[in-house]
């Protein structure tokens, strides 16, 4: 049984930075670093990429097969990110889903585990929650360039999937959402445009240096 599924929506046709998932960050493709980080989370039972099933993304599908990465290729419009996530989840029918962005090579495995455990804790205490996300003060991290996971129930995803949008728009409804607040201010840990590569490499180098001291 897959209790917690990590879904990474990915494509090669980003308008600001096409093929950014294959851009190298300190010697590895962005998408490889995201998968490696996700695999370090102890609460994640399976990782699956949700990719568009079209010619423009065939290379990404080939990469998954070459590297033995699980994926679901969706025939939905590639801008329907929520639809791709939902189709992927329907294959596994997990209790919860972790959504990671494909351009977030610095996502922290501990943040994945913390959000998953918080969602389980809230529901064990009979406090209705279908979504746990991170935010700086009142700003969800998904509205910044800081990489943080989002965790939500399969139950709520089935209710959301009729909407063609990113998951988080629906999740901001406070009644069923819970938030983990982060200290300080957000900084760049995602690859949104080519200039972000140097920023992310700087922060990755800094964090590695801090851990070694």
């Amino acid at each position: 049984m897959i209790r917690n599924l990590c879904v990474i929506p990915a494509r090669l046709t980003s308008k600001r930075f096409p093929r950014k998932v294959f851009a190298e960050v300190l010697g590895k493709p962005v998408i490889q670093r995201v998968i490696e980080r996700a695999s370090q989370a102890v609460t994640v039972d399976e990782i699956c990429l949700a990719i568009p099933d079209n010619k423009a993304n065939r290379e990404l599908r080939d990469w998954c097969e070459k590297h033995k990465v699980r994926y679901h290729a969706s025939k939905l419009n590639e801008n329907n990110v929520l639809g791709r996530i939902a189709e992927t989840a329907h294959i596994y029918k997990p209790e919860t889903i972790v959504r990671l962005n494909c351009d977030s090579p610095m996502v922290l495995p501990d943040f994945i585990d913390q959000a998953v455990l918080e969602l389980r804790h809230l529901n064990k205490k009979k406090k209705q929650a279908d979504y746990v996300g991170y935010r700086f003060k009142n700003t969800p991290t998904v509205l910044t360039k800081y990489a943080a996971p989002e965790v939500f129930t399969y139950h709520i995803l089935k209710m959301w999937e009729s909407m063609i949008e990113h998951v988080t728009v629906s999740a901001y409804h406070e009644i069923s959402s819970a938030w983990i607040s982060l200290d300080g201010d957000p900084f760049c840990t995602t690859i949104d445009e080519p200039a972000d590569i140097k920023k992310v490499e700087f922060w990755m180098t800094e964090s590695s240096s801090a851990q070694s001291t």
Side-chain angles (χ1 to χ4, degrees), residues 177-196:
S177 300
W179 298 91
I180 299 173
S181 295
L182 297 172
D183 296 328
D185 296 310
F187 54 94
C188 181
T189 64
T190 63
I191 309 295
D192 194 47
E193 53 191 6
D196 292 334

Side-chain angles (χ1 to χ4, degrees), residues 16-212:
R16 282 189 294 270
F17 189 0
R19 299 174 54 81
K20 64 181 176 179
V21 296
F22 288 149
E24 289 203 351
V25 173
L26 296 179
K28 291 184 180 181
V30 170
I31 190 63
Q32 182 178 341
R33 289 199 173 275
V34 177
I35 294 169
E36 287 176 354
R37 293 284 184 121
S39 67
Q40 294 171 27
V42 297
T43 57
V44 169
D45 298 308
E46 191 62 82
I47 300 168
C48 188
L49 266 62
I51 66 177
D53 185 9
N54 56 33
K55 185 177 180 180
N57 288 278
R58 180 69 210 197
E59 187 180 354
L60 181 55
R61 183 171 183 166
D62 291 344
W63 183 90
C64 289
E65 292 177 354
K66 178 181 178 180
H67 294 275
K68 295 181 172 52
V69 172
R70 293 184 184 276
Y71 70 89
H72 168 66
S74 172
K75 294 188 179 299
L76 294 173
N77 184 301
E78 67 178 58
N79 292 318
N80 187 357
V81 178
L82 179 57
R84 272 190 281 142
I85 293 173
E87 278 192 357
T88 305
H90 293 332
I91 297 170
Y92 296 90
K93 296 181 172 57
E95 290 181 15
T96 53
I97 296 101
V98 175
R99 180 261 180 90
L100 297 184
N101 290 334
C102 66
D103 57 4
S104 302
M106 285 190 71
V107 66
L108 296 176
D110 287 351
F111 277 18
I112 296 173
D113 292 332
Q114 186 177 353
V116 171
L117 294 175
E118 177 67 10
L119 184 59
R120 290 176 184 173
H121 173 74
L122 290 171
N123 287 315
K124 187 176 181 180
K125 294 293 185 180
K126 307 301 183 185
K127 298 178 180 178
Q128 182 183 354
D130 285 303
Y131 174 94
V132 172
Y134 286 86
R135 64 184 176 188
F136 290 95
K137 300 182 177 67
N138 294 318
T139 303
T141 57
V142 292
L143 299 181
T144 73
K145 284 193 174 186
Y146 185 86
E150 299 174 285
V151 180
F152 43 90
T153 63
Y154 181 49
H155 166 76
I156 200 67
L157 177 61
K158 289 188 288 185
M159 296 178 64
W160 287 344
E161 68 176 308
S162 62
M163 296 175 280
I164 301 176
E165 61 175 36
H166 285 64
V167 172
T168 49
V169 177
S170 302
Y172 295 159
H173 188 54
E174 291 286 347
I175 292 176
S176 62
S177 300
W179 298 91
I180 299 173
S181 295
L182 297 172
D183 296 328
D185 296 310
F187 54 94
C188 181
T189 64
T190 63
I191 309 295
D192 194 47
E193 53 191 6
D196 292 334
I197 293 178
K198 292 297 182 185
K199 298 175 185 177
V200 170
E201 287 182 330
F202 169 78
W203 287 114
M204 289 184 77
T205 303
E206 286 291 298
S207 61
S208 296
S209 299
Q211 290 174 12
S212 64

